[in-house]
Amino acid sequence: MYDVIVIGAGVAGSSAARELSRYQVNACVLEKEEDVCCGTSKANSAIVHAGYDAAEGSLMAKLNVEGNEMMEDLAKELDFPFKRTGSLVVCLSEEDLPGLKALYDRGVKNGVKDMQVIVDKEEIRRMEPNLTDEVVGVLYAPTAGIVCPFNMNIAMAENANDNGVDFHFDTEVTEIRKIEGGWELVTNKGTFTTRYVVNAAGVHADKFHNMVSEKKIHITPRRGDYCLLDKKAGSHVSRTIFALPGKFGKGVLVTPTVHGNLLVGPTAIDIEDKESTATTREGLDELIGKAGMNVKNLPMRQVITSFAGLRAHEDGHEFIIGEVEGAEGFIDCAGIESPGLTSAPAIGKMVAQICRDKMDLKPDPNFQGKRKGILDPSTLSMEERNALIKENPAYGNIICRCEMVTEGEILDAIHRPLGARSLDGVKRRTRAGMGRCQAGFCSPRTMEILARECKLSMFEITKSGGSSKLVVGTNKDQI
């Protein structure tokens, strides 16, 4: 019997697992997909919010600000990309300026530091030359930032695993039963028993909550469509640009990414299917139509891909974190939508503290809080890089030409804790396939490396686990 089982290896579940690993506890994570970071956590705006948006006094507001403050140290500890770039909320009419001031006041009450309302157009233009000429004021929040959501999620999961937390992939929970002294979780891979359950199942968290509680909750999958632009467009803005909802409607954000691209989105379309992450013509048309509302001359012809993600929108629009009433030992971590990525470090800490207090957990003296990410040769000097290639020639073999990813990086991605087993797993860890050609060149070569290192045939290699096989036959079979 485990002490704690976490359902879900997204950013909230992985953060909870990592924080739990600080204690002497026998814990595991059950994930229905083939890897960590396969749900909401892999398809979002990659923004570290300042904290002025959530309602004053809400758990969202509290954990947003706490998570924001934790992010810089966490990024250094776990070696994932994070930049504190700041953000601007754009107001397009004089009559909407009170709304900008209301956001500022809410931010002050939430504990957001160093915000400014700026109405001097020359100063605004100096900050962001490509803002629309219609701008009349902005809310500047310098504590906002951008992060790599994949590497953040993977880093927390790897560190949890390094500190003794088991991860079971392709393991879908189908039923939860109360048993003496804990819970029984029925899965497609057998039955697991545990004293405590942490329900961090994203858009599916309501299903598990409702299995154990008389007080039901409801989560709507809210689809957000995005367009990712080439790195040539990455400097079009230097901060995250938000729209202030007003008489011109609600626009979409425009933001640089930590890897140098430009991201535009999202839409907000409520759907019923909790697995539907396909973009739609209507969603992308809406996105493109709103893209230029706050930023002029957006080079939308430089879009290299579009994608969609699902937000776990709970009807009360609030994080639900805590032991479920009438279900002792079942801890919800539900309704984790925006600002869930920003809040994740604080969410994990809160969940772990609940478990600690309930179970009287003791600190683990062997806990190791640091993790080293995959080496990026481009960060080295020429002398260092030549020495690395001399020691390991795989770092001199470029596999992905768009992102200049080497075989050495892919080998590291495969063989490190919770290593990649699919093309998407390699992509999230190394960016191989994320460039302009969108894996057109590097996929066969990456597949060959996966097959060789994982002792699989090419017929077994998948894009993202499950039935997403890439090679289904040959066109030149010998007779």
Side-chain angles (χ1 to χ4, degrees):
M1 175 181 278
Y2 283 102
D3 295 320
V4 184
I5 289 179
V6 179
I7 304 175
V11 72
S14 294
S15 179
R18 192 226 177 199
E19 291 297 325
L20 279 166
S21 73
R22 294 178 182 272
Y23 302 99
Q24 297 176 18
V25 65
N26 182 21
C28 82
V29 178
L30 304 182
E31 169 57 53
K32 73 183 182 72
E33 303 295 341
E34 56 97 23
D35 198 0
V36 302
C37 196
C38 285
T40 299
S41 302
K42 77 170 182 182
N44 54 66
S45 305
I47 290 166
V48 175
H49 291 274
Y52 50 74
D53 197 48
E56 178 192 354
S58 67
L59 193 57
M60 274 186 175
K62 176 179 182 292
L63 296 181
N64 183 348
V65 174
E66 287 181 10
N68 179 295
E69 292 174 349
M70 295 169 70
M71 195 65 69
E72 197 158 351
D73 288 341
L74 185 68
K76 290 176 182 176
E77 272 191 327
L78 298 182
D79 194 21
F80 61 82
F82 164 68
K83 295 179 182 178
R84 204 172 286 284
T85 53
S87 67
L88 298 177
V89 180
V90 177
C91 180
L92 300 179
S93 72
E94 297 284 346
E95 65 191 73
D96 289 330
L97 280 173
L100 206 64
K101 181 61 165 58
L103 271 186
Y104 171 86
D105 291 340
R106 186 186 303 162
V108 170
K109 292 174 182 176
N110 288 348
V112 182
K113 299 175 182 175
D114 303 324
M115 291 182 301
Q116 300 176 58
V117 173
I118 302 172
V119 294
D120 183 331
K121 289 193 176 183
E122 289 187 8
E123 182 179 355
I124 295 170
R125 193 75 57 222
R126 283 194 299 271
M127 295 176 74
E128 290 291 350
N130 284 318
L131 283 190
T132 174
D133 295 332
E134 307 302 317
V135 61
V136 299
V138 297
L139 173 62
Y140 174 44
T143 60
I146 52 179
V147 69
C148 176
F150 321 118
N151 274 305
M152 177 181 167
N153 194 160
I154 290 165
M156 291 191 292
E158 284 184 2
N159 191 236
N161 186 239
D162 278 337
N163 284 291
V165 177
D166 298 331
F167 280 73
H168 299 272
F169 296 111
D170 295 312
T171 305
E172 182 175 5
V173 178
T174 56
E175 192 175 350
I176 300 176
R177 305 172 184 147
K178 188 76 175 97
I179 60 172
E180 186 176 352
W183 298 90
E184 185 176 74
L185 277 62
V186 180
T187 80
N188 61 321
K189 294 286 185 70
T191 299
F192 294 77
T193 57
T194 181
R195 294 170 61 197
Y196 280 76
V197 174
V198 173
N199 173 25
V203 293
H204 297 282
D206 55 348
K207 176 177 71 175
F208 298 123
H209 169 99
N210 294 341
M211 285 181 183
V212 305
S213 176
E214 294 294 327
K215 186 179 179 182
K216 307 303 181 185
I217 65 173
H218 178 254
I219 289 174
T220 300
R222 179 165 288 173
R223 195 186 78 234
D225 301 85
Y226 293 87
C227 286
L228 183 71
L229 279 64
D230 189 64
K231 289 183 178 180
K232 285 186 175 181
S235 60
H236 198 74
V237 295
S238 59
R239 300 168 181 83
T240 300
I241 310 301
F242 294 103
L244 175 72
K247 70 175 185 179
F248 297 107
K250 187 179 188 300
V252 297
L253 66 86
V254 179
T255 184
T257 74
V258 289
H259 300 292
N261 297 87
L262 194 71
L263 185 66
V264 180
T267 55
I269 302 169
D270 289 346
I271 61 175
E272 294 183 5
D273 186 351
K274 294 189 176 187
E275 304 295 336
S276 179
T277 56
T279 56
T280 65
R281 174 66 182 269
E282 61 180 6
L284 292 177
D285 283 349
E286 177 188 343
L287 174 64
I288 293 168
K290 291 180 175 180
M293 183 182 292
N294 298 293
V295 179
K296 63 185 179 183
N297 302 322
L298 268 174
M300 295 303 290
R301 289 177 66 89
Q302 293 189 37
V303 171
I304 60 174
T305 190
S306 59
F307 64 92
L310 301 180
R311 284 160 277 179
H313 176 69
E314 199 276 325
D315 290 351
H317 189 52
E318 172 65 304
F319 296 159
I320 301 174
I321 302 174
E323 189 173 47
V324 174
E325 183 180 350
E328 183 180 354
F330 190 95
I331 297 165
D332 265 337
C333 185
I336 310 300
E337 59 179 317
S338 180
L341 183 67
T342 310
S343 306
I347 289 171
K349 186 176 179 181
M350 181 177 177
V351 169
Q353 287 175 344
I354 292 170
C355 291
R356 177 199 65 191
D357 295 344
K358 291 285 182 181
M359 304 170 69
D360 193 27
L361 299 177
K362 306 301 181 189
D364 184 352
N366 298 315
F367 174 76
Q368 174 53 256
K370 291 187 178 294
R371 168 260 190 192
K372 189 65 180 170
I374 293 172
L375 172 65
D376 180 358
S378 69
T379 62
L380 304 177
S381 68
M382 188 59 68
E383 293 77 13
E384 291 170 328
R385 193 164 186 171
N386 287 337
L388 175 66
I389 294 170
K390 186 175 181 180
E391 180 183 347
N392 186 346
Y395 283 98
N397 183 18
I398 300 294
I399 302 299
C400 173
R401 295 187 297 188
C402 296
E403 295 291 325
M404 296 299 287
V405 178
T406 66
E407 182 180 2
E409 294 163 82
I410 294 173
L411 290 173
D412 191 354
I414 292 170
H415 292 296
R416 66 196 293 112
L418 308 179
R421 292 294 179 270
S422 67
L423 280 186
D424 279 0
V426 170
K427 179 168 71 173
R428 285 191 291 270
R429 288 164 174 82
T430 69
R431 293 189 58 76
M434 284 194 180
R436 183 181 296 182
C437 87
Q438 286 293 290
F441 174 78
C442 64
S443 286
R445 302 179 74 189
T446 304
M447 290 172 66
E448 289 172 0
I449 297 170
L450 277 165
R452 183 187 74 216
E453 298 299 317
C454 298
K455 305 294 188 293
L456 300 170
S457 79
M458 292 289 275
F459 294 96
E460 296 175 286
I461 302 299
T462 65
K463 181 182 184 296
S464 55
S467 61
S468 62
K469 293 180 179 178
L470 293 143
V471 179
V472 296
T474 60
N475 61 359
K476 293 184 179 179
D477 287 326
Q478 292 183 350
I479 299 175

PDB file of all heavy atoms in Angstrom, residues 31-32 34 62 94 116 140 165 172 184 200-201 209 231 244 267 292 303 314 354 363 371 419 436 447 465:
ATOM      1  N   GLU A  31      -0.588   8.085 -14.326  1.00  0.00           N
ATOM      2  CA  GLU A  31      -0.855   8.948 -15.473  1.00  0.00           C
ATOM      3  C   GLU A  31      -1.385   8.104 -16.628  1.00  0.00           C
ATOM      4  O   GLU A  31      -0.777   7.118 -17.017  1.00  0.00           O
ATOM      5  CB  GLU A  31       0.425   9.676 -15.890  1.00  0.00           C
ATOM      6  CG  GLU A  31       0.371  10.397 -17.215  1.00  0.00           C
ATOM      7  CD  GLU A  31      -0.757  11.427 -17.290  1.00  0.00           C
ATOM      8  OE1 GLU A  31      -0.852  12.291 -16.397  1.00  0.00           O
ATOM      9  OE2 GLU A  31      -1.555  11.344 -18.262  1.00  0.00           O
ATOM     10  N   LYS A  32      -2.532   8.500 -17.177  1.00  0.00           N
ATOM     11  CA  LYS A  32      -3.154   7.693 -18.225  1.00  0.00           C
ATOM     12  C   LYS A  32      -2.451   7.827 -19.574  1.00  0.00           C
ATOM     13  O   LYS A  32      -2.596   6.963 -20.434  1.00  0.00           O
ATOM     14  CB  LYS A  32      -4.637   8.039 -18.360  1.00  0.00           C
ATOM     15  CG  LYS A  32      -4.957   9.370 -19.001  1.00  0.00           C
ATOM     16  CD  LYS A  32      -6.460   9.607 -19.000  1.00  0.00           C
ATOM     17  CE  LYS A  32      -6.843  10.907 -19.683  1.00  0.00           C
ATOM     18  NZ  LYS A  32      -6.677  10.840 -21.151  1.00  0.00           N
ATOM     19  N   GLU A  34       1.232   8.506 -21.993  1.00  0.00           N
ATOM     20  CA  GLU A  34       2.519   7.805 -22.048  1.00  0.00           C
ATOM     21  C   GLU A  34       3.674   8.600 -21.441  1.00  0.00           C
ATOM     22  O   GLU A  34       4.804   8.119 -21.393  1.00  0.00           O
ATOM     23  CB  GLU A  34       2.866   7.454 -23.497  1.00  0.00           C
ATOM     24  CG  GLU A  34       2.892   8.626 -24.454  1.00  0.00           C
ATOM     25  CD  GLU A  34       4.276   9.191 -24.707  1.00  0.00           C
ATOM     26  OE1 GLU A  34       5.253   8.455 -24.518  1.00  0.00           O
ATOM     27  OE2 GLU A  34       4.365  10.371 -25.085  1.00  0.00           O
ATOM     28  N   LYS A  62      -4.248  34.146  -4.238  1.00  0.00           N
ATOM     29  CA  LYS A  62      -3.204  33.851  -3.255  1.00  0.00           C
ATOM     30  C   LYS A  62      -2.089  32.988  -3.858  1.00  0.00           C
ATOM     31  O   LYS A  62      -0.898  33.311  -3.745  1.00  0.00           O
ATOM     32  CB  LYS A  62      -3.817  33.146  -2.041  1.00  0.00           C
ATOM     33  CG  LYS A  62      -2.825  32.702  -0.976  1.00  0.00           C
ATOM     34  CD  LYS A  62      -3.566  32.041   0.186  1.00  0.00           C
ATOM     35  CE  LYS A  62      -2.603  31.628   1.310  1.00  0.00           C
ATOM     36  NZ  LYS A  62      -1.709  30.537   0.884  1.00  0.00           N
ATOM     37  N   GLU A  94     -10.869  55.848 -23.738  1.00  0.00           N
ATOM     38  CA  GLU A  94     -10.868  56.622 -22.491  1.00  0.00           C
ATOM     39  C   GLU A  94     -11.921  56.115 -21.526  1.00  0.00           C
ATOM     40  O   GLU A  94     -11.692  56.069 -20.310  1.00  0.00           O
ATOM     41  CB  GLU A  94     -11.130  58.108 -22.813  1.00  0.00           C
ATOM     42  CG  GLU A  94     -10.075  58.778 -23.662  1.00  0.00           C
ATOM     43  CD  GLU A  94      -8.809  59.116 -22.878  1.00  0.00           C
ATOM     44  OE1 GLU A  94      -8.865  59.073 -21.637  1.00  0.00           O
ATOM     45  OE2 GLU A  94      -7.786  59.427 -23.514  1.00  0.00           O
ATOM     46  N   GLN A 116       2.172  49.713 -12.481  1.00  0.00           N
ATOM     47  CA  GLN A 116       1.943  51.114 -12.849  1.00  0.00           C
ATOM     48  C   GLN A 116       0.838  51.195 -13.885  1.00  0.00           C
ATOM     49  O   GLN A 116       0.779  50.359 -14.792  1.00  0.00           O
ATOM     50  CB  GLN A 116       3.198  51.736 -13.470  1.00  0.00           C
ATOM     51  CG  GLN A 116       4.435  51.774 -12.631  1.00  0.00           C
ATOM     52  CD  GLN A 116       5.591  52.335 -13.434  1.00  0.00           C
ATOM     53  OE1 GLN A 116       5.542  53.462 -13.946  1.00  0.00           O
ATOM     54  NE2 GLN A 116       6.639  51.542 -13.583  1.00  0.00           N
ATOM     55  N   TYR A 140       1.088  48.200 -16.460  1.00  0.00           N
ATOM     56  CA  TYR A 140       2.389  47.553 -16.550  1.00  0.00           C
ATOM     57  C   TYR A 140       2.643  46.764 -15.266  1.00  0.00           C
ATOM     58  O   TYR A 140       2.584  47.316 -14.171  1.00  0.00           O
ATOM     59  CB  TYR A 140       3.475  48.602 -16.760  1.00  0.00           C
ATOM     60  CG  TYR A 140       4.896  48.056 -16.720  1.00  0.00           C
ATOM     61  CD1 TYR A 140       5.240  46.880 -17.373  1.00  0.00           C
ATOM     62  CD2 TYR A 140       5.894  48.758 -16.038  1.00  0.00           C
ATOM     63  CE1 TYR A 140       6.538  46.400 -17.335  1.00  0.00           C
ATOM     64  CE2 TYR A 140       7.198  48.285 -16.002  1.00  0.00           C
ATOM     65  CZ  TYR A 140       7.515  47.105 -16.649  1.00  0.00           C
ATOM     66  OH  TYR A 140       8.792  46.624 -16.608  1.00  0.00           O
ATOM     67  N   VAL A 165       9.749   9.014  -5.841  1.00  0.00           N
ATOM     68  CA  VAL A 165       8.346   8.886  -6.234  1.00  0.00           C
ATOM     69  C   VAL A 165       8.256   8.035  -7.495  1.00  0.00           C
ATOM     70  O   VAL A 165       8.928   8.300  -8.490  1.00  0.00           O
ATOM     71  CB  VAL A 165       7.703  10.266  -6.476  1.00  0.00           C
ATOM     72  CG1 VAL A 165       6.258  10.105  -6.953  1.00  0.00           C
ATOM     73  CG2 VAL A 165       7.755  11.116  -5.213  1.00  0.00           C
ATOM     74  N   GLU A 172      -4.590   4.189 -16.549  1.00  0.00           N
ATOM     75  CA  GLU A 172      -5.809   5.001 -16.426  1.00  0.00           C
ATOM     76  C   GLU A 172      -6.667   4.507 -15.262  1.00  0.00           C
ATOM     77  O   GLU A 172      -7.035   3.331 -15.199  1.00  0.00           O
ATOM     78  CB  GLU A 172      -6.622   4.941 -17.719  1.00  0.00           C
ATOM     79  CG  GLU A 172      -7.874   5.802 -17.672  1.00  0.00           C
ATOM     80  CD  GLU A 172      -8.607   5.846 -18.992  1.00  0.00           C
ATOM     81  OE1 GLU A 172      -8.198   5.129 -19.937  1.00  0.00           O
ATOM     82  OE2 GLU A 172      -9.604   6.595 -19.089  1.00  0.00           O
ATOM     83  N   GLU A 184      -8.825   2.248  -2.759  1.00  0.00           N
ATOM     84  CA  GLU A 184      -8.444   1.298  -3.792  1.00  0.00           C
ATOM     85  C   GLU A 184      -8.712   1.941  -5.145  1.00  0.00           C
ATOM     86  O   GLU A 184      -9.831   2.373  -5.420  1.00  0.00           O
ATOM     87  CB  GLU A 184      -9.256   0.008  -3.637  1.00  0.00           C
ATOM     88  CG  GLU A 184      -8.851  -1.104  -4.583  1.00  0.00           C
ATOM     89  CD  GLU A 184      -9.639  -2.376  -4.291  1.00  0.00           C
ATOM     90  OE1 GLU A 184     -10.841  -2.417  -4.646  1.00  0.00           O
ATOM     91  OE2 GLU A 184      -9.045  -3.305  -3.708  1.00  0.00           O
ATOM     92  N   ALA A 200      -5.356  15.184  -9.071  1.00  0.00           N
ATOM     93  CA  ALA A 200      -4.836  16.254  -9.928  1.00  0.00           C
ATOM     94  C   ALA A 200      -5.036  15.878 -11.388  1.00  0.00           C
ATOM     95  O   ALA A 200      -4.115  15.954 -12.201  1.00  0.00           O
ATOM     96  CB  ALA A 200      -3.361  16.490  -9.623  1.00  0.00           C
ATOM     97  N   ALA A 201      -6.250  15.481 -11.721  1.00  0.00           N
ATOM     98  CA  ALA A 201      -6.539  14.883 -13.029  1.00  0.00           C
ATOM     99  C   ALA A 201      -7.020  15.878 -14.076  1.00  0.00           C
ATOM    100  O   ALA A 201      -7.616  15.488 -15.080  1.00  0.00           O
ATOM    101  CB  ALA A 201      -7.573  13.773 -12.861  1.00  0.00           C
ATOM    102  N   HIS A 209     -13.649  13.210  -8.258  1.00  0.00           N
ATOM    103  CA  HIS A 209     -14.292  13.841  -7.095  1.00  0.00           C
ATOM    104  C   HIS A 209     -15.701  13.297  -6.906  1.00  0.00           C
ATOM    105  O   HIS A 209     -16.102  12.940  -5.783  1.00  0.00           O
ATOM    106  CB  HIS A 209     -14.335  15.360  -7.283  1.00  0.00           C
ATOM    107  CG  HIS A 209     -15.189  16.072  -6.277  1.00  0.00           C
ATOM    108  ND1 HIS A 209     -14.681  16.698  -5.166  1.00  0.00           N
ATOM    109  CD2 HIS A 209     -16.533  16.254  -6.204  1.00  0.00           C
ATOM    110  CE1 HIS A 209     -15.664  17.219  -4.455  1.00  0.00           C
ATOM    111  NE2 HIS A 209     -16.805  16.968  -5.075  1.00  0.00           N
ATOM    112  N   LYS A 231      10.607  32.295 -35.359  1.00  0.00           N
ATOM    113  CA  LYS A 231      11.506  33.097 -34.523  1.00  0.00           C
ATOM    114  C   LYS A 231      11.824  34.451 -35.149  1.00  0.00           C
ATOM    115  O   LYS A 231      12.211  35.380 -34.435  1.00  0.00           O
ATOM    116  CB  LYS A 231      12.787  32.318 -34.249  1.00  0.00           C
ATOM    117  CG  LYS A 231      12.570  31.151 -33.287  1.00  0.00           C
ATOM    118  CD  LYS A 231      13.850  30.430 -32.948  1.00  0.00           C
ATOM    119  CE  LYS A 231      13.585  29.308 -31.942  1.00  0.00           C
ATOM    120  NZ  LYS A 231      14.806  28.574 -31.579  1.00  0.00           N
ATOM    121  N   LEU A 244      -7.529  44.493 -22.467  1.00  0.00           N
ATOM    122  CA  LEU A 244      -8.517  44.826 -21.446  1.00  0.00           C
ATOM    123  C   LEU A 244      -9.887  44.708 -22.077  1.00  0.00           C
ATOM    124  O   LEU A 244     -10.197  45.430 -23.025  1.00  0.00           O
ATOM    125  CB  LEU A 244      -8.303  46.250 -20.929  1.00  0.00           C
ATOM    126  CG  LEU A 244      -9.352  46.743 -19.929  1.00  0.00           C
ATOM    127  CD1 LEU A 244      -9.184  46.031 -18.587  1.00  0.00           C
ATOM    128  CD2 LEU A 244      -9.267  48.254 -19.746  1.00  0.00           C
ATOM    129  N   THR A 267      -8.205  31.473 -27.892  1.00  0.00           N
ATOM    130  CA  THR A 267      -9.656  31.611 -27.875  1.00  0.00           C
ATOM    131  C   THR A 267     -10.174  31.017 -26.564  1.00  0.00           C
ATOM    132  O   THR A 267      -9.404  30.494 -25.759  1.00  0.00           O
ATOM    133  CB  THR A 267     -10.278  30.868 -29.061  1.00  0.00           C
ATOM    134  OG1 THR A 267      -9.829  29.494 -29.017  1.00  0.00           O
ATOM    135  CG2 THR A 267      -9.855  31.482 -30.376  1.00  0.00           C
ATOM    136  N   GLY A 292      -4.815  41.344 -34.267  1.00  0.00           N
ATOM    137  CA  GLY A 292      -4.263  42.679 -34.440  1.00  0.00           C
ATOM    138  C   GLY A 292      -4.951  43.763 -33.647  1.00  0.00           C
ATOM    139  O   GLY A 292      -4.696  44.949 -33.860  1.00  0.00           O
ATOM    140  N   VAL A 303       3.226  32.276 -39.335  1.00  0.00           N
ATOM    141  CA  VAL A 303       2.747  31.185 -38.483  1.00  0.00           C
ATOM    142  C   VAL A 303       3.378  29.870 -38.947  1.00  0.00           C
ATOM    143  O   VAL A 303       3.335  29.537 -40.138  1.00  0.00           O
ATOM    144  CB  VAL A 303       1.208  31.074 -38.539  1.00  0.00           C
ATOM    145  CG1 VAL A 303       0.728  29.799 -37.838  1.00  0.00           C
ATOM    146  CG2 VAL A 303       0.560  32.295 -37.893  1.00  0.00           C
ATOM    147  N   GLU A 314     -13.777  24.999 -13.814  1.00  0.00           N
ATOM    148  CA  GLU A 314     -14.784  24.582 -12.832  1.00  0.00           C
ATOM    149  C   GLU A 314     -15.852  25.670 -12.745  1.00  0.00           C
ATOM    150  O   GLU A 314     -15.559  26.864 -12.889  1.00  0.00           O
ATOM    151  CB  GLU A 314     -14.110  24.355 -11.469  1.00  0.00           C
ATOM    152  CG  GLU A 314     -14.907  23.507 -10.508  1.00  0.00           C
ATOM    153  CD  GLU A 314     -15.947  24.315  -9.733  1.00  0.00           C
ATOM    154  OE1 GLU A 314     -15.653  25.490  -9.416  1.00  0.00           O
ATOM    155  OE2 GLU A 314     -17.045  23.783  -9.488  1.00  0.00           O
ATOM    156  N   ILE A 354      -0.849  19.704   3.286  1.00  0.00           N
ATOM    157  CA  ILE A 354      -2.076  19.036   3.754  1.00  0.00           C
ATOM    158  C   ILE A 354      -1.758  17.581   4.095  1.00  0.00           C
ATOM    159  O   ILE A 354      -2.142  17.072   5.160  1.00  0.00           O
ATOM    160  CB  ILE A 354      -3.180  19.119   2.675  1.00  0.00           C
ATOM    161  CG1 ILE A 354      -3.651  20.566   2.499  1.00  0.00           C
ATOM    162  CG2 ILE A 354      -4.362  18.216   3.047  1.00  0.00           C
ATOM    163  CD1 ILE A 354      -4.564  20.769   1.302  1.00  0.00           C
ATOM    164  N   PRO A 363      10.351  15.202   7.560  1.00  0.00           N
ATOM    165  CA  PRO A 363      11.234  15.564   6.450  1.00  0.00           C
ATOM    166  C   PRO A 363      12.213  14.446   6.118  1.00  0.00           C
ATOM    167  O   PRO A 363      12.682  13.727   7.010  1.00  0.00           O
ATOM    168  CB  PRO A 363      11.972  16.802   6.975  1.00  0.00           C
ATOM    169  CG  PRO A 363      11.088  17.357   8.044  1.00  0.00           C
ATOM    170  CD  PRO A 363      10.418  16.182   8.680  1.00  0.00           C
ATOM    171  N   ARG A 371      18.195  19.762  -9.770  1.00  0.00           N
ATOM    172  CA  ARG A 371      18.133  18.899 -10.949  1.00  0.00           C
ATOM    173  C   ARG A 371      18.805  19.619 -12.099  1.00  0.00           C
ATOM    174  O   ARG A 371      18.649  20.829 -12.268  1.00  0.00           O
ATOM    175  CB  ARG A 371      16.675  18.579 -11.264  1.00  0.00           C
ATOM    176  CG  ARG A 371      16.399  17.937 -12.622  1.00  0.00           C
ATOM    177  CD  ARG A 371      15.906  18.953 -13.625  1.00  0.00           C
ATOM    178  NE  ARG A 371      15.415  18.367 -14.861  1.00  0.00           N
ATOM    179  CZ  ARG A 371      15.142  19.056 -15.958  1.00  0.00           C
ATOM    180  NH1 ARG A 371      15.296  20.379 -15.977  1.00  0.00           N
ATOM    181  NH2 ARG A 371      14.691  18.460 -17.046  1.00  0.00           N
ATOM    182  N   GLY A 419      12.512   9.120 -18.998  1.00  0.00           N
ATOM    183  CA  GLY A 419      12.963   9.493 -20.326  1.00  0.00           C
ATOM    184  C   GLY A 419      11.911   9.390 -21.408  1.00  0.00           C
ATOM    185  O   GLY A 419      10.907   8.677 -21.289  1.00  0.00           O
ATOM    186  N   ARG A 436      10.744  25.574 -37.784  1.00  0.00           N
ATOM    187  CA  ARG A 436       9.971  26.030 -38.940  1.00  0.00           C
ATOM    188  C   ARG A 436       9.418  24.885 -39.772  1.00  0.00           C
ATOM    189  O   ARG A 436       8.303  24.950 -40.284  1.00  0.00           O
ATOM    190  CB  ARG A 436      10.859  26.929 -39.814  1.00  0.00           C
ATOM    191  CG  ARG A 436      10.137  27.524 -40.997  1.00  0.00           C
ATOM    192  CD  ARG A 436      11.056  28.377 -41.834  1.00  0.00           C
ATOM    193  NE  ARG A 436      11.536  29.529 -41.084  1.00  0.00           N
ATOM    194  CZ  ARG A 436      12.340  30.461 -41.603  1.00  0.00           C
ATOM    195  NH1 ARG A 436      12.761  30.326 -42.849  1.00  0.00           N
ATOM    196  NH2 ARG A 436      12.730  31.483 -40.882  1.00  0.00           N
ATOM    197  N   MET A 447      13.277   9.003 -34.936  1.00  0.00           N
ATOM    198  CA  MET A 447      12.683   7.675 -34.793  1.00  0.00           C
ATOM    199  C   MET A 447      13.750   6.586 -34.779  1.00  0.00           C
ATOM    200  O   MET A 447      13.667   5.626 -34.000  1.00  0.00           O
ATOM    201  CB  MET A 447      11.684   7.424 -35.920  1.00  0.00           C
ATOM    202  CG  MET A 447      10.412   8.260 -35.833  1.00  0.00           C
ATOM    203  SD  MET A 447       9.367   8.089 -37.293  1.00  0.00           S
ATOM    204  CE  MET A 447       8.887   6.366 -37.161  1.00  0.00           C
ATOM    205  N   GLY A 465       2.417   8.153 -28.036  1.00  0.00           N
ATOM    206  CA  GLY A 465       1.899   7.008 -27.303  1.00  0.00           C
ATOM    207  C   GLY A 465       0.620   6.465 -27.911  1.00  0.00           C
ATOM    208  O   GLY A 465       0.127   6.937 -28.945  1.00  0.00           O
TER     209      GLY A 465
END
